Amino acid sequence: MQDPKNSKTTAAEGKSSKGGSDKVPAASPRGGTIGILAGVALIAPVLIRELTTGTDPFLLLPVALVVMTFALAGFRKVQGGKDGTVGRIGLILGAAGALLLAVMLGVIAYLDIVNNTRLQSVTPVYLGVILLLAGIVLFGGASLKAGVLGRGATLLFMVSLPLGILLDLMGAFRGRSFRWGPDLVLGPGTHLGLKVMGLALIWLGYSILNKRKQKVDTA
């Protein structure tokens, strides 16, 4: 006869091997990959604008903003809701700001290329920036509190762009500003903030993939 205790132990082990507490979330690799892609998509147009003369990768910015929106959603899914209501609000505000900016940049490009005209009001652009910054700060703060994502990368992502814009407003940089299309001028602090935020996104994505690999190896 089989010992009932051994039978229970075997059943418990079988259940654990099928997917207990050590199971890796299915969203982990997706969140890590999209984070790396978002970082590359954000850094690439900024570097192109800085390093090449006469090249304006204006239309790459909306693409980068849309990819970053998916990255934020992937990061939140990796956290499994541990970032709470504040994280959800941050995601909503950040996504709304990024998508609004993407649409407005597309409108600016269309008016310039097709109609040869300028944007009449930049208020929606400012609103998109405010929503994006508020979303980044809230999402980053909630993620730090949740402790699922890497703290260093999360903090870097959280402060890079807001700090870069603030330094530009304070006139802390004496470098030249960069014109994007006919209606958008970004200061050197903002350019630096975008590059650092892109590196933070790559770091976050890599840490997610690396953590998942470690869990798989342990299992």
Side-chain angles (χ1 to χ4, degrees):
M1 291 182 62
Q2 186 177 1
D3 190 349
K5 293 182 179 180
N6 291 337
S7 177
K8 291 180 180 179
T9 302
T10 303
E13 291 176 349
K15 183 177 180 180
S16 177
S17 65
K18 290 180 180 178
S21 60
D22 292 333
K23 184 178 179 181
V24 180
S28 293
R30 188 179 304 170
T33 303
I34 196 66
I36 294 174
L37 290 176
V40 173
L42 198 59
I43 294 174
V46 177
L47 286 180
I48 292 173
R49 185 67 186 86
E50 291 179 352
L51 300 177
T52 60
T53 304
T55 302
D56 188 0
F58 185 75
L59 292 178
L60 293 180
L61 280 180
V63 175
L65 289 168
V66 172
V67 177
M68 189 178 71
T69 301
F70 285 105
L72 290 177
F75 292 158
R76 185 162 200 276
K77 197 167 185 180
V78 168
Q79 296 181 90
K82 291 184 178 180
D83 53 349
T85 303
V86 176
R88 183 168 64 250
I89 294 174
L91 172 62
I92 293 172
L93 292 179
L99 293 177
L100 177 58
L101 282 174
V103 171
M104 292 310 302
L105 293 177
V107 170
I108 291 173
Y110 176 82
L111 292 176
D112 179 49
I113 297 172
V114 178
N115 293 345
N116 196 25
T117 57
R118 305 285 291 274
L119 190 67
Q120 296 299 315
S121 174
V122 295
T123 301
V125 177
Y126 289 140
L127 177 60
V129 172
I130 292 172
L131 289 175
L132 177 61
L133 295 181
I136 288 173
V137 171
L138 289 177
F139 184 82
S143 298
L144 284 175
K145 185 176 180 181
V148 177
L149 303 176
R151 293 186 180 276
T154 302
L155 182 61
L156 197 63
F157 168 75
M158 175 182 173
V159 304
S160 53
L161 185 58
L163 184 59
I165 293 177
L166 179 61
L167 291 175
D168 274 341
L169 293 176
M170 294 172 57
F173 292 98
R174 298 187 180 276
R176 66 187 180 92
S177 297
F178 300 89
R179 180 171 292 278
W180 291 76
D183 295 299
L184 186 64
V185 178
L186 300 181
T190 303
H191 264 224
L192 179 60
L194 288 171
K195 288 184 289 187
V196 174
M197 187 166 71
L199 290 174
L201 287 168
I202 294 174
W203 186 4
L204 281 168
Y206 173 77
S207 65
I208 291 171
L209 294 177
N210 189 49
K211 185 180 293 186
R212 181 180 186 274
K213 182 179 181 300
Q214 291 176 355
K215 286 184 178 181
V216 171
D217 291 343
T218 302

